[in-house]
């Protein structure tokens, strides 16, 4: 998640000039007044301990585990988190951690770092199989480091020098090894990652401007399509220098506030989210020329963040609950005034998008979609939502399908799990 509208008046102006007023105000959550979800812990609801501000979740089906990157304390993010424009105190930037969540026990385990220490301000991640070891994975993770070259009176020197960290993890072990850091001038405001291999990945720059009026315009005006997606090729996995052995190129431009990335229902389907545009793009990467082709777009009805896809293991030709899961804020318009406040309350909403009844939704091109609200809370159970992810519950023939919905937020105190009907 990155960037929010600071003034309702500007939002209305932008909507008036650049699109339907009602649609723009709906995306901002002006008309929503969420109520708390009444639910009892242990009865269809779990709060996962030691999972603070985990921006992104990825389900690894071979081990039935969820991987995520979390902060080690709650308060530092309200002073230093460049994706929210929080740039007040880089000295308090904390050291985050990589966690594995077990959906059976509803417990989180921290992985101990090997060859890695120092500042780790977490954000988007992705996970991909080690082609040389099926029992191991590589994990890419965004790290929002303060820029050591920044001075208060310096010109054209950004406060953040964000980069990507590459880790290697043997599945079911308790450690994770740091392979290398990845830094490039084109990777300026990284948000989320789509990994193709240990040597190749795409990363979103959610804004062109890091702060100031330029960033405000990017948030408010849909026509300000200045964000980008960068393709990065790692030529040397063993380099100790973050900026060495790296080749990067612009893969896609022209989207409004492109943000979260995800893997879709096929091996080749890439999911791209326009966060403040409330749009999910189904896309495909072109390895030959390192570009991205947009195939389809879906608007579920609100602001959205990191996308995930749920593949129904109990699907039949007549009953397939597979679909896209899209988390966001109930009222993103409130976030600017709340972004520095540890005690504020921000609601969460999770959308579920599936092919319309009577259509298969097969193939790359499909415009027949229907969306529904899978979860909504006013911030009582969870503050903000940046990722929603479904893990199947055992379903017997004739029973209504259920799944555990895991929801996390970029300023939430913990990941939560809620049992939902599909």
């Amino acid at each position: 998640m990155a960037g929010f509208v600071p003034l309702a008046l500007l939002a209305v102006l932008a909507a008036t000039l650049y699109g339907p007023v009602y649609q723009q105000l709906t995306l901002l959550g002006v008309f929503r007044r969420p109520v708390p979800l009444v639910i009892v812990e242990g009865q269809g609801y779990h709060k996962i301990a030691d999972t603070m501000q985990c921006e992104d979740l990825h389900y690894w089906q071979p081990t039935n585990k969820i991987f995520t990157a979390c902060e080690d304390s709650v308060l530092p993010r309200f002073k230093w988190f460049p994706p929210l424009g929080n740039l007040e105190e880089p000295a308090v930037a904390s050291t985050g951690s990589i966690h594995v969540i077990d959906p059976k026990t509803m417990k989180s385990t921290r992985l101990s770092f090997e060859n890695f220490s120092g500042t780790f301000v977490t954000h988007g991640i992705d996970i991909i199989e080690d082609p040389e070891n099926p029992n191991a994975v590589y994990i890419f993770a965004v790290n929002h480091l303060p820029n050591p070259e920044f001075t208060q009176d310096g010109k054209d020197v950004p406060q953040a020098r964000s980069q990507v960290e590459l880790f290697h993890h043997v599945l079911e072990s308790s450690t994770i090894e740091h392979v290398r850091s990845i830094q490039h001038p084109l990777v300026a405001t990284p948000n989320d990652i789509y990994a193709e291999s240990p040597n190749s990945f795409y990363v979103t720059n959610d804004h062109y401007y890091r702060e100031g009026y330029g960033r405000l315009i990017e948030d408010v005006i849909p026509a300000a399509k200045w964000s980008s997606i960068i393709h990065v090729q790692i030529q040397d996995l063993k380099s100790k220098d973050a900026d060495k052995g790296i080749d990067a190129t612009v893969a896609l431009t022209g989207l409004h506030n492109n943000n979260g990335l995800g893997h879709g229902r096929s091996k080749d389907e890439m999911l791209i989210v326009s966060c403040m545009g409330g749009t999910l793009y189904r896309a495909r990467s072109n390895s030959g020329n390192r570009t991205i082709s947009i195939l389809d777009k879906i608007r579920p009805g609100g602001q959205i963040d990191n996308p995930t896809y749920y593949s129904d293991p109990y699907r039949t030709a007549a009953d397939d609950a597979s679909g896209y899961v899209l988390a966001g804020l109930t009222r993103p318009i409130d976030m600017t005034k709340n972004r520095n406040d540890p005690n504020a309350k921000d609601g969460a909403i999770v959308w579920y998008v599936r092919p319309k009844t009577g259509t298969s939704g097969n193939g790359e091109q499909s415009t027949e979609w229907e969306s529904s609200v899978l979860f909504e809370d006013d911030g009582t159970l969870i503050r903000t939502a940046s990722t929603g992810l479904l893990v199947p519950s055992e379903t017997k023939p004739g029973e209504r399908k259920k799944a555990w919905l895991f929801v996390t937020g970029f300023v939430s105190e913990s990941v939560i799990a809620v049992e939902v009907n599909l």
Side-chain angles (χ1 to χ4, degrees):
M1 167 60 70
F4 294 93
V5 182
L7 296 173
L9 180 61
L10 288 177
V12 174
L13 176 61
T16 302
L17 295 176
Y18 293 93
V21 174
Y22 183 85
Q23 178 182 345
Q24 188 71 9
L25 295 181
T26 298
L27 287 174
L28 295 171
V30 172
F31 306 124
R32 291 197 179 95
R33 292 294 182 269
V35 296
L37 180 64
V38 179
I39 197 164
V40 179
E41 189 163 0
Q43 298 179 14
Y45 166 70
H46 294 274
K47 195 173 183 179
I48 314 299
D50 191 29
T51 53
M52 291 172 280
Q53 301 172 344
C54 313
E55 161 85 14
D56 203 0
L57 301 172
H58 286 268
Y59 178 61
W60 192 247
Q61 191 275 332
T63 57
N64 189 38
K65 300 290 174 61
I66 298 170
F67 286 82
T68 185
C70 308
E71 291 300 296
D72 289 352
S73 56
V74 170
L75 294 179
R77 178 154 290 193
F78 295 99
K79 294 293 185 181
W80 176 263
F81 191 54
L84 282 179
N86 292 346
L87 301 166
E88 294 180 19
E89 295 183 19
V92 304
S94 62
T95 300
S97 47
I98 304 292
H99 293 234
V100 181
I101 298 172
D102 188 338
K104 290 184 177 180
T105 64
M106 297 295 177
K107 293 183 178 180
S108 172
T109 301
R110 291 178 179 228
L111 299 179
S112 299
F113 286 127
E114 295 180 357
N115 306 321
F116 186 71
S117 60
T119 300
F120 183 30
V121 180
T122 61
H123 202 172
I125 69 168
D126 200 10
I127 179 172
I128 191 168
E129 184 180 70
D130 180 347
E132 298 180 357
N133 181 0
N135 295 315
V137 294
Y138 284 93
I139 298 176
F140 291 88
V142 172
N143 184 6
H144 292 293
L145 296 168
N147 190 346
E149 298 179 2
F150 173 78
T151 59
Q152 292 294 336
D153 57 352
K155 295 182 178 180
D156 301 323
V157 179
Q159 289 183 251
R161 194 187 65 185
S162 303
Q163 61 186 33
V164 174
E165 311 294 350
L166 177 58
F167 299 95
H168 185 264
H169 169 64
V170 176
L171 295 170
E172 307 294 357
S173 72
S174 61
T175 61
I176 185 167
E177 179 185 8
H178 186 245
V179 177
R180 64 161 297 168
S181 299
I182 300 147
Q183 188 184 117
H184 192 277
L186 287 178
V187 182
T189 58
N191 186 300
D192 203 10
I193 297 168
Y194 177 94
E196 290 190 312
S197 75
N199 299 84
S200 173
F201 67 93
Y202 291 86
V203 58
T204 53
N205 284 315
D206 53 45
H207 288 77
Y208 178 81
Y209 292 97
R210 292 176 169 88
E211 54 186 316
Y213 288 109
R215 183 186 179 94
L216 167 63
I217 291 171
E218 287 188 86
D219 287 339
V220 172
I221 301 179
K225 300 177 179 181
W226 305 331
S227 56
S228 62
I229 300 180
I230 307 299
H231 180 261
V232 178
Q233 188 75 37
I234 306 173
Q235 299 169 332
D236 183 4
L237 283 176
K238 297 182 179 180
S239 177
K240 301 300 180 183
D241 297 318
D243 60 346
K244 304 298 182 184
I246 301 298
D247 179 43
T249 185
V250 177
L252 183 69
T253 59
L255 300 184
H256 176 220
N257 187 214
N258 59 203
N259 195 292
L261 295 174
H263 297 265
R265 55 185 174 180
S266 68
K267 181 181 179 181
D268 299 326
E269 185 177 82
M270 174 189 288
L271 306 179
I272 305 169
V273 158
S274 166
C275 183
M276 294 306 297
T279 305
L280 169 68
Y281 294 93
R282 298 168 61 238
R284 181 184 60 240
S285 65
N286 306 309
S287 57
N289 58 12
R290 302 168 69 185
T291 62
I292 296 170
S293 297
I294 301 295
L295 306 173
D296 192 10
K297 61 183 178 181
I298 304 168
R299 292 189 173 95
Q303 176 267 338
I304 52 177
D305 207 339
N306 301 320
T308 64
Y309 181 75
Y310 175 69
S311 180
D312 179 9
Y314 304 105
R315 63 185 175 273
T316 64
D319 183 14
D320 187 351
S322 302
Y324 301 99
V325 185
L326 302 160
L329 298 179
T330 310
R331 288 176 52 84
I333 196 169
D334 295 335
M335 194 60 211
T336 293
K337 66 182 176 63
N338 293 343
R339 65 187 175 89
N340 296 117
D341 185 358
N343 301 311
K345 206 174 185 181
D346 295 287
I349 190 167
V350 179
W351 304 87
Y352 198 33
V353 177
R354 291 187 281 187
K356 283 187 177 179
T357 304
T359 64
S360 65
N362 293 327
E364 292 181 335
Q365 301 285 351
S366 176
T367 56
E368 298 298 313
W369 302 96
E370 58 185 4
S371 64
S372 59
V373 175
L374 196 59
F375 169 87
E376 187 173 6
D377 181 62
D378 70 343
T380 301
L381 295 181
I382 186 168
R383 181 182 175 185
T384 70
S386 50
T387 307
L389 183 151
L390 286 171
V391 175
S393 296
E394 184 177 355
T395 303
K396 296 179 181 179
E399 291 182 345
R400 183 170 183 178
K401 294 177 181 178
K402 293 180 179 290
W404 282 100
L405 172 66
F406 289 80
V407 185
T408 189
F410 49 91
V411 290
S412 61
E413 293 189 359
S414 67
V415 176
I416 64 170
V418 180
E419 193 169 34
V420 295
N421 295 316
L422 300 179

